[in-house]
């Protein structure tokens, strides 16, 4: 229990390990997760350390595993996760792992390269098949004559070019006869495939570069083609370009090359094209067979790798973590022993010794490791042992600041106070039930949900705090029962203690929403509702007035209790660290100041509740509601030392001797301010003066008279901490104490007022819930017949969405943040320093969760 209420006791140890046993011992310590190693080589670069080559080998193995994992995910193959946690392999097994990963990577890369080459050939053959099929249509039209109005004809013809169609044969391309030379302009064509989106720019470039002396035909390929390099589906078009002369041929080919168009041979004779198409179809069928076999082989390789890749990742990361830790050690001069320094919990020393013994036995070493405690002035790290239930609460505390070493841990108290204060603001039985059901679902599905390891940060926050959310839901249901509030409605379990209606002076029955509840009237039966609020208050006009008074006073009482509890915890810190001076000059005046003023105000609230009651009888006038004093006015007059004016016939005091006691309490509280401000600095100054006087008296006696005379004749020694430094130290002391005093005195007022947020958010939550019911859901309940059923279905869905989104999520987050502030500022500021640093042990579990082992030593 010591590590629950206070951080565990830590000690710095020196560890001596034989070189052959170091790996196995560190492996066992990593499985145990209770040792934090210190870097004994801070000035040595990472690439100059002893085991840098082993770390690089692990990085290379990790790279190969990531490549395999990417290929496995690419094929959608499930990776087997048995939940096993294999031990770290021995160093000699690294060679086998490297060989296995090297073989798998080379085989997979070779298969991928072959598959890519086959896909590239398949793409080329597919494009050639499309060219032969599409160009056949072009040549058929070419032989039969070109129809200028054909929608598929696209010609780029300049003003000087002439397209002639002979009545006896195909079209003739050329220039006017005066420029025509049959030897210079030989009719020819090229055919190819280009991306569909490049066609417009391709046509314009051909027009401009060839000056319109080309004839272009193109047709779209209906089915998309797979790019072998990226695997993306692309849409392409077949084109054929007719021109004359080698000059244009060179120019056209350069343009095709610039637009990354692929050119293919296309015979002119129909018989040649037919034979080529048949050969292409045969080769495509053969390629399909080979591609299928290649894909099957690749799938088998990946399926075999998927069965072990999770365990391989664990093994490699453990090896890398071990060598990374060994690089923090020092080598002795004989190079046969490794020396380490580490922080360890004192209570776990035996477990650590057993782990070192197991590691030595595994390695076969005959020399046992040596673990020695070391004395150090350095502050140890803070280690609070947690489980899956307390972890979320500890994270809330550590987010503000890690506790100083052996300081009181607020987490055990936060387990109760945090969900309770949240529930005071979020009190609704229905909304609390939604939160509870959600938390129960996460807890019941804990293992499968944790195994998914989602990357969604918001989900991870909710899942990590599932037990905190469960308690918040439970407490919200409890406070909702006390408030008798379920989705802005009340539950009448025991029957109301009020008459639900009454007749006015004219004999007209009052409607429920016209009820004005007054305990002094005969409507009230005189007996209280057994649990929580009477349900009739939900229909009363003065509901807000009643709830305001009730919740405001409860908020102040809870706040003062919470702060006094925080101040009381500081006493345990002072006693543990033997700070008697702080107990006398800090704790005692703080408790007196807070109790004599604000706790007394809470006591007056209880006195008022017990002493005054609702009555209209003349004999009870002095103890009726008209004579009940305002606690706030009474408290203000107590500070101002004024008497509270009362109505004639009322008691001027809540109890006999009230004014005298209040003066005494106020004067004592006022005296606590200089007590906190001056007593501690004056006491420290007197101690310093006594030490200096004692030093001056004892020094000559210890050194002897002769030495004293010698010192008197010699030059005076330099005195460190002279008058100037004394003044500076004293001034800092007074300033620091003044800051603490002002912070506490003013904070007592502001912190008390800060707890009024419990009242404000509770009323806001209740009113917003009532608005949603009145403005949304009640509209659906007002309709009849089947139309009302459909409308109610739709309106209920809308109301449920708003309830979950606004009242549960947004209001829940608001209440959570306000509760967090009350704990961090109002509660923890009374005793919690939070100036420590967290204990970060070398643990495989944490390394595998984060997927990293620290900086890579490349």
């Amino acid at each position: 229990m010591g590590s629950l209420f206070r951080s565990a006791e830590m000690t710095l140890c020196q560890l001596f390990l034989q070189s052959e046993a170091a790996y196995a011992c560190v492996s066992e310590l990593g499985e145990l997760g209770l040792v934090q190693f210190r870097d004994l080589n801070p000035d040595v670069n990472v690439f100059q350390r002893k085991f840098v080559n082993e770390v690089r080998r692990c990085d290379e193995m990790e790279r190969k595993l990531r490549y395999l994992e990417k290929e496995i995910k690419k094929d959608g193959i499930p990776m087997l996760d048995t939940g096993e946690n294999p031990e770290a392999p021995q160093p000699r097994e690294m060679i086998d792992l490297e060989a296995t990963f090297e073989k798998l990577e080379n085989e997979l890369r070779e298969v991928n390269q072959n598959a890519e080459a086959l896909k590239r050939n398949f793409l080329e053959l597919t494009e050639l098949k499309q060219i032969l099929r599409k160009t056949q249509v072009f040549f058929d039209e070419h032989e039969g004559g070109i129809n200028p109005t054909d929608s598929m004809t696209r010609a780029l013809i300049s003003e000087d070019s002439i397209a002639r169609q002979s009545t006896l044969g195909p079209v003739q391309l050329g220039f006017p006869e005066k420029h025509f030379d049959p030897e210079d302009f030989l009719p020819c064509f090229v055919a190819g495939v280009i991306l569909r989106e490049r066609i417009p720019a391709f046509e314009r470039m051909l027009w401009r570069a060839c000056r319109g002396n080309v004839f272009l035909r193109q047709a779209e390929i209906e089915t998309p083609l797979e790019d072998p390099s990226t695997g993306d589906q692309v849409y392409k078009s077949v084109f054929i370009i007719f021109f004359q002369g080698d000059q244009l041929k060179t120019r056209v080919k350069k343009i095709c090359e610039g637009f990354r168009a692929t050119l293919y041979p296309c015979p002119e004779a129909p018989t040649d094209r037919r034979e080529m198409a048949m050969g292409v179809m045969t080769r495509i069928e053969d390629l399909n067979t080979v591609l299928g076999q290649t894909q099957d082989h690749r799938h088998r390789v990946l399926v075999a790798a998927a069965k072990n890749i999770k365990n391989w990742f664990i093994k490699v990361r453990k090896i890398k973590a071990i060598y990374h830790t060994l690089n923090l050690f020092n080598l002795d001069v004989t190079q046969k022993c490794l020396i380490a320094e580490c922080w360890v919990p004192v209570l776990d020393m035996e477990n650590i010794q057993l782990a070192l013994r197991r590691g030595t036995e595994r390695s076969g070493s005959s020399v046992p490791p040596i673990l020695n405690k070391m004395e150090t002035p350095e502050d140890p790290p803070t280690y609070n042992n947690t489980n899956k239930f307390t972890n979320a609460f500890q994270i809330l505390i550590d987010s503000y600041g890690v506790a100083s070493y052996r300081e009181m841990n607020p987490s055990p108290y936060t387990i109760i106070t945090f969900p309770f204060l949240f529930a005071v603001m979020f009190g609704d039985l229905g909304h609390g039930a939604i939160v509870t059901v959600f938390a129960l679902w996460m807890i019941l599905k804990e293992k499968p949900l944790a195994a998914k390891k989602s990357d969604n940060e918001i989900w991870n926050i909710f899942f990590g705090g599932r037990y905190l959310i469960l308690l918040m839901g439970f407490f919200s249901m409890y406070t909702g029962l006390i408030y008798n509030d379920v989705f802005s409605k009340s539950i009448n379990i025991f029957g109301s203690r009020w008459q639900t209606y009454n007749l006015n002076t004219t004999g007209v029955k009052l409607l429920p929403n016209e009820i004005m509840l007054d305990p002094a009237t005969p409507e009230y039966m005189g007996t209280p509702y057994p649990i929580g609020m009477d349900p009739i208050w939900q229909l009363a006009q003065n509901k807000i007035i009643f709830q305001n008074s009730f919740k405001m006073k409860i908020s102040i009482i809870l706040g003062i209790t919470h702060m006094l509890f925080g101040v009381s915890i500081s006493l345990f810190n002072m006693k543990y660290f033997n700070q008697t001076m702080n107990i006398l000059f800090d704790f005692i005046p703080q408790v007196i100041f807070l109790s004599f003023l604000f706790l007394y105000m809470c006591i007056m609230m209880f006195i008022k509740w017990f002493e005054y009651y609702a009555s209209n009888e003349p004999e009870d006038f002095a103890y009726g509601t008209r004579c009940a004093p305002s606690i706030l006015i009474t408290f203000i007059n107590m500070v101002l030392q004024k008497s509270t004016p009362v109505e004639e016939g009322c008691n001027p005091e809540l109890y006999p001797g009230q004014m005298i006691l209040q003066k005494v309490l106020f004067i004592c509280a006022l005296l606590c301010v200089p007590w906190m401000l001056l007593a501690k600095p004056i006491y420290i100054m007197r101690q310093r003066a006594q030490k200096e006087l004692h030093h001056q008296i004892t020094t000559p006696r210890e050194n002897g008279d002769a030495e004293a005379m010698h010192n008197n004749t010699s030059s005076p020694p330099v005195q460190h901490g002279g008058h100037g430094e004394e003044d500076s130290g004293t001034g800092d002391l007074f300033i620091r104490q003044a800051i603490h005093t002002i912070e506490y005195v003013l904070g007592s007022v502001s912190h008390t007022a800060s707890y009024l947020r419990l009242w404000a958010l509770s009323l806001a939550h209740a009113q917003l819930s009532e608005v949603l019911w009145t403005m949304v859901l009640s509209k659906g309940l007002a309709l009849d017949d089947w139309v009302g059923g459909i409308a109610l279905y739709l309106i209920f869905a809308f109301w449920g969405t708003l309830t979950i989104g606004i009242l549960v999520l947004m209001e829940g987050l608001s209440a959570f943040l306000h509760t967090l502030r009350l704990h961090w500022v109002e509660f923890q500021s009374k005793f919690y320093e939070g100036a420590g640093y967290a204990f970060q042990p070398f643990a495989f579990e944490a390394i595998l969760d984060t997927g990293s082992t620290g900086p890579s030593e490349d």
Side-chain angles (χ1 to χ4, degrees):
M1 295 299 289
S3 62
L4 180 62
F5 293 98
R6 197 182 294 278
S7 61
E9 187 177 355
M10 307 293 293
T11 182
L12 183 64
C13 294
Q14 194 172 35
L15 178 62
F16 296 88
L17 297 173
Q18 289 296 311
S19 298
E20 61 271 13
Y23 181 93
C25 290
V26 172
S27 174
E28 291 292 335
L29 293 178
E31 297 289 351
L32 190 61
L34 290 173
V35 177
Q36 176 180 335
F37 291 99
R38 301 172 68 185
D39 189 1
L40 300 183
N41 307 297
D43 300 328
V44 180
N45 293 325
V46 291
F47 55 84
Q48 293 178 334
R49 303 197 179 192
K50 179 175 177 57
F51 301 99
V52 64
N53 291 328
E54 285 78 3
V55 174
R56 287 177 176 171
R57 289 167 62 189
C58 292
D59 285 335
E60 181 65 18
M61 287 192 291
E62 217 170 2
R63 182 195 62 79
K64 293 174 182 177
L65 287 176
R66 285 195 298 268
Y67 171 71
L68 291 174
E69 184 182 31
K70 184 183 73 173
E71 294 296 321
I72 291 171
K73 290 181 178 179
K74 186 177 179 181
D75 279 21
I77 300 173
M79 290 179 284
L80 181 63
D81 189 2
T82 59
E84 297 179 359
N85 186 16
E87 294 183 352
Q90 293 298 319
R92 58 180 176 272
E93 296 181 30
M94 282 183 64
I95 301 175
D96 298 335
L97 289 175
E98 286 178 316
T100 302
F101 300 158
E102 183 74 21
K103 179 183 176 182
L104 284 173
E105 185 192 27
N106 292 338
E107 186 175 3
L108 194 56
R109 288 192 183 277
E110 184 179 356
V111 170
N112 288 342
Q113 290 174 359
N114 293 338
E116 184 177 348
L118 291 173
K119 288 180 179 179
R120 196 175 298 280
N121 291 337
F122 180 79
L123 177 65
E124 293 174 355
L125 291 175
T126 304
E127 291 177 348
L128 181 57
K129 181 184 73 172
Q130 294 290 340
I131 287 176
L132 295 174
R133 182 180 300 172
K134 301 292 183 182
T135 54
Q136 183 62 39
V137 179
F138 298 158
F139 280 110
D140 291 344
E141 294 175 355
H142 183 70
E143 296 294 334
I146 297 177
N147 183 6
T149 63
D150 190 352
S151 60
M152 296 187 63
T153 304
R154 295 190 181 182
L156 299 173
I157 305 174
S158 67
E159 295 178 357
D160 296 332
S161 66
I162 301 175
R164 301 182 181 88
Q165 181 177 359
S166 172
T167 57
L168 300 177
V171 68
Q172 300 293 327
L173 297 178
F175 287 8
E177 292 183 0
K178 60 181 180 180
H179 299 297
F180 179 74
D181 186 353
E183 295 181 358
D184 294 338
F185 300 95
L186 299 176
C188 58
F189 65 90
V190 292
V193 176
I194 191 172
L195 290 175
R196 190 177 297 177
E197 60 268 16
R198 294 179 182 172
I199 285 291
F202 185 56
E203 289 181 352
R204 288 194 297 269
M205 181 57 70
L206 282 172
W207 170 273
R208 293 170 182 172
C210 300
R211 299 181 181 178
N213 292 296
V214 293
F215 188 78
L216 172 68
R217 296 294 304 277
Q218 64 93 12
E220 296 178 352
I221 301 176
E222 293 80 7
T223 58
L225 304 176
E226 182 183 356
D227 188 346
S229 300
T230 61
D232 298 334
Q233 298 292 325
V234 294
Y235 289 89
K236 294 188 176 183
S237 296
V238 173
F239 67 86
I240 184 169
I241 306 173
F242 296 93
F243 51 85
Q244 287 182 333
D246 290 339
Q247 218 171 15
L248 283 178
K249 181 177 181 181
T250 304
R251 193 173 299 174
V252 167
K253 285 188 175 180
K254 286 184 178 180
I255 293 172
C256 293
E257 182 181 353
F259 280 86
R260 295 184 181 180
T262 307
L263 301 180
Y264 291 94
C266 183
E268 294 186 21
T271 55
D272 295 340
R273 287 198 297 273
R274 203 171 295 112
E275 290 178 3
M276 180 178 285
M278 294 175 60
V280 168
M281 293 298 296
T282 304
R283 292 176 61 188
I284 287 177
E285 291 177 0
D286 296 341
L287 271 178
N288 274 328
T289 304
V290 177
L291 266 174
Q293 295 175 352
T294 304
Q295 291 295 339
D296 289 342
H297 178 64
R298 181 177 185 275
H299 187 76
R300 288 194 298 270
V301 172
L302 292 177
V303 168
K307 295 179 181 178
N308 300 312
I309 192 166
K310 292 288 186 182
N311 287 342
W312 286 340
F313 264 118
I314 293 174
K315 290 180 179 179
V316 171
R317 285 170 179 164
K318 284 187 175 182
I319 297 172
K320 183 179 177 181
I322 292 171
Y323 282 117
H324 177 74
T325 303
L326 289 175
N327 277 332
L328 305 178
F329 294 8
N330 256 340
L331 279 172
D332 70 340
V333 292
T334 61
Q335 301 286 320
K336 294 182 179 180
C337 180
L338 291 172
I339 305 172
E341 291 182 5
C342 53
W343 292 106
V344 298
V346 175
L347 295 178
D348 294 312
M349 287 288 290
E350 186 177 352
N351 295 331
I352 295 170
Q353 294 280 9
L354 291 175
L356 292 173
R357 194 173 301 122
R358 286 196 303 268
T360 305
E361 293 173 356
R362 279 180 53 192
S363 64
S365 174
S366 58
V367 181
I370 302 173
L371 186 66
N372 294 329
K373 290 184 179 180
M374 298 174 59
E375 296 294 333
T376 176
E378 184 180 349
D379 291 333
T382 300
Y383 173 48
N384 293 304
N385 193 10
T386 60
N387 51 36
K388 62 182 180 181
F389 178 77
T390 60
N391 185 55
F393 298 94
Q394 191 64 53
I395 289 176
L396 286 180
I397 302 302
D398 292 342
S399 298
Y400 176 78
V402 179
S404 302
Y405 177 64
R406 300 294 288 167
E407 187 180 18
M408 285 292 291
N409 183 20
S411 181
Y413 320 107
T414 306
I415 294 175
I416 300 300
T417 59
F418 192 94
F420 178 71
L421 292 181
F422 170 86
V424 172
M425 293 182 276
F426 195 73
D428 190 295
L429 188 59
H431 300 152
I434 294 174
V435 175
T436 303
V437 169
F438 174 63
L440 282 175
W441 173 76
M442 288 192 292
I443 292 172
L444 295 176
K445 300 288 184 180
E446 184 175 303
K447 290 186 178 179
L449 291 175
K452 290 182 179 179
K453 295 182 180 179
S454 173
D455 295 331
N456 191 312
E457 186 176 355
I458 296 178
W459 164 252
N460 290 334
I461 291 174
F462 276 111
F463 183 72
R466 56 194 178 276
Y467 291 99
L468 171 62
I469 296 174
L470 178 67
L471 289 183
M472 288 160 55
F474 276 146
F475 278 84
S476 297
M477 293 174 65
Y478 166 74
T479 54
L481 183 64
I482 297 300
Y483 297 157
N484 204 349
D485 193 356
V486 185
F487 299 118
S488 80
K489 296 300 175 184
S490 297
I491 303 176
N492 191 0
I493 302 175
F494 303 101
S496 176
R497 294 302 187 263
W498 298 71
Q499 295 180 8
T500 56
Y501 64 89
N502 195 4
L503 298 178
N504 60 15
T505 57
T506 60
V508 179
K509 184 182 292 187
L510 297 176
L511 297 177
N513 58 358
E514 296 176 353
I515 294 175
M516 180 68 73
L517 297 181
D518 184 1
T521 61
E523 290 181 356
Y524 183 54
M525 300 179 183
T527 57
Y529 194 73
I531 299 177
M533 291 186 183
D534 196 299
I536 195 63
W537 280 107
Q538 190 66 32
L539 304 175
Q541 284 186 350
N542 56 337
K543 177 184 70 171
I544 298 297
I545 299 174
F546 167 72
Q547 289 185 347
N548 263 344
S549 176
F550 168 72
K551 293 184 177 180
M552 181 174 64
K553 290 180 173 62
I554 288 295
S555 300
I556 296 296
I557 293 171
L558 292 177
I560 298 300
T561 305
H562 200 211
M563 289 192 294
L564 272 175
F565 179 60
V567 176
S568 302
I569 293 178
S570 66
L571 176 63
F572 294 97
N573 279 332
M574 296 173 186
K575 290 180 66 176
Y576 179 82
F577 294 112
N578 294 323
Q579 297 173 341
T580 307
M581 178 178 61
N582 289 345
I583 296 176
L584 296 175
F585 305 136
D586 285 336
F587 171 73
I588 294 178
Q590 286 177 1
V591 171
I592 293 175
F593 182 84
L594 195 61
S595 300
F596 284 12
L597 291 181
F598 299 99
L599 182 60
Y600 172 71
M601 180 175 62
C602 297
I603 294 173
M604 283 195 296
M605 294 179 190
F606 285 99
I607 294 175
K608 178 181 176 180
W609 286 339
F610 283 109
E611 187 171 351
Y612 293 89
Y613 51 89
S615 176
N616 290 329
E617 300 298 330
E619 60 272 14
D620 297 331
F621 179 77
Y623 297 99
T625 54
R626 292 182 60 181
C627 289
S630 171
I631 300 299
L632 180 60
I633 299 299
T634 304
F635 179 74
I636 293 174
N637 289 331
M638 170 186 170
V639 176
L640 299 177
Q641 293 296 295
K642 292 170 57 178
S643 59
T644 305
V646 295
E647 191 174 344
E648 185 179 356
C650 298
N651 294 327
E653 295 182 344
L654 278 171
Y655 55 89
Q658 177 186 357
M659 298 305 297
I660 298 176
L661 179 61
Q662 286 183 173
K663 288 183 179 180
V664 173
L665 293 178
F666 178 72
I667 293 173
C668 291
L670 202 61
L671 290 175
C672 290
V673 177
W675 188 354
M676 289 185 286
L677 180 64
L678 302 174
K680 186 175 178 179
I682 292 175
Y683 180 78
I684 294 175
M685 290 173 59
R686 291 188 61 183
Q687 279 191 328
R688 288 180 180 176
Q690 289 178 359
K691 287 182 179 179
E692 290 180 0
L693 181 62
H694 179 73
H695 178 73
Q696 292 175 0
I697 294 175
T698 56
T699 301
R701 293 179 180 176
E702 292 175 356
N703 296 336
D705 293 340
E707 189 176 350
M709 293 175 62
H710 175 73
N711 288 338
N712 290 332
T713 57
S714 62
S715 60
V718 180
Q719 295 183 358
H720 298 283
H723 184 68
E725 290 187 18
E726 254 185 29
D727 288 345
S728 175
T730 304
D732 290 344
L733 187 63
F734 274 99
I735 291 173
R736 190 180 303 111
Q737 192 65 23
I739 291 174
H740 288 313
T741 303
I742 295 172
E743 181 182 3
Y744 182 81
V745 172
L746 297 182
S748 298
V749 181
S750 63
H751 292 176
T752 303
S754 184
Y755 278 93
L756 291 175
R757 69 186 69 234
L758 300 174
W759 155 57
L761 265 74
S762 176
L763 285 179
H765 183 83
Q767 289 302 304
L768 189 56
S769 179
E770 186 174 350
V771 166
L772 278 184
W773 182 283
T774 305
M775 302 295 292
V776 180
L777 193 58
S778 62
K779 305 298 182 184
L781 298 173
L783 301 175
D784 298 329
D785 299 330
W786 61 272
V787 178
I790 296 175
L792 180 60
Y793 177 81
L794 298 176
I795 291 175
F796 179 80
F798 182 60
W799 173 82
T801 303
L802 292 179
T803 298
I804 298 295
I806 297 177
L807 292 179
V808 176
L809 291 179
M810 294 180 62
E811 284 285 314
L813 179 60
S814 175
F816 178 88
L817 294 177
H818 282 285
T819 308
L820 194 62
R821 181 244 155 77
L822 289 177
H823 280 79
W824 281 358
V825 180
E826 279 72 22
F827 175 59
Q828 291 179 196
S829 63
K830 302 296 186 294
F831 67 95
Y832 189 71
E833 290 186 3
Y837 63 100
F839 176 62
Q840 296 177 338
F842 169 63
F844 288 143
E845 183 179 0
I847 292 170
L848 295 176
D849 286 342
T850 57
S852 62
T853 57
S856 176
E857 301 185 26
D858 294 335

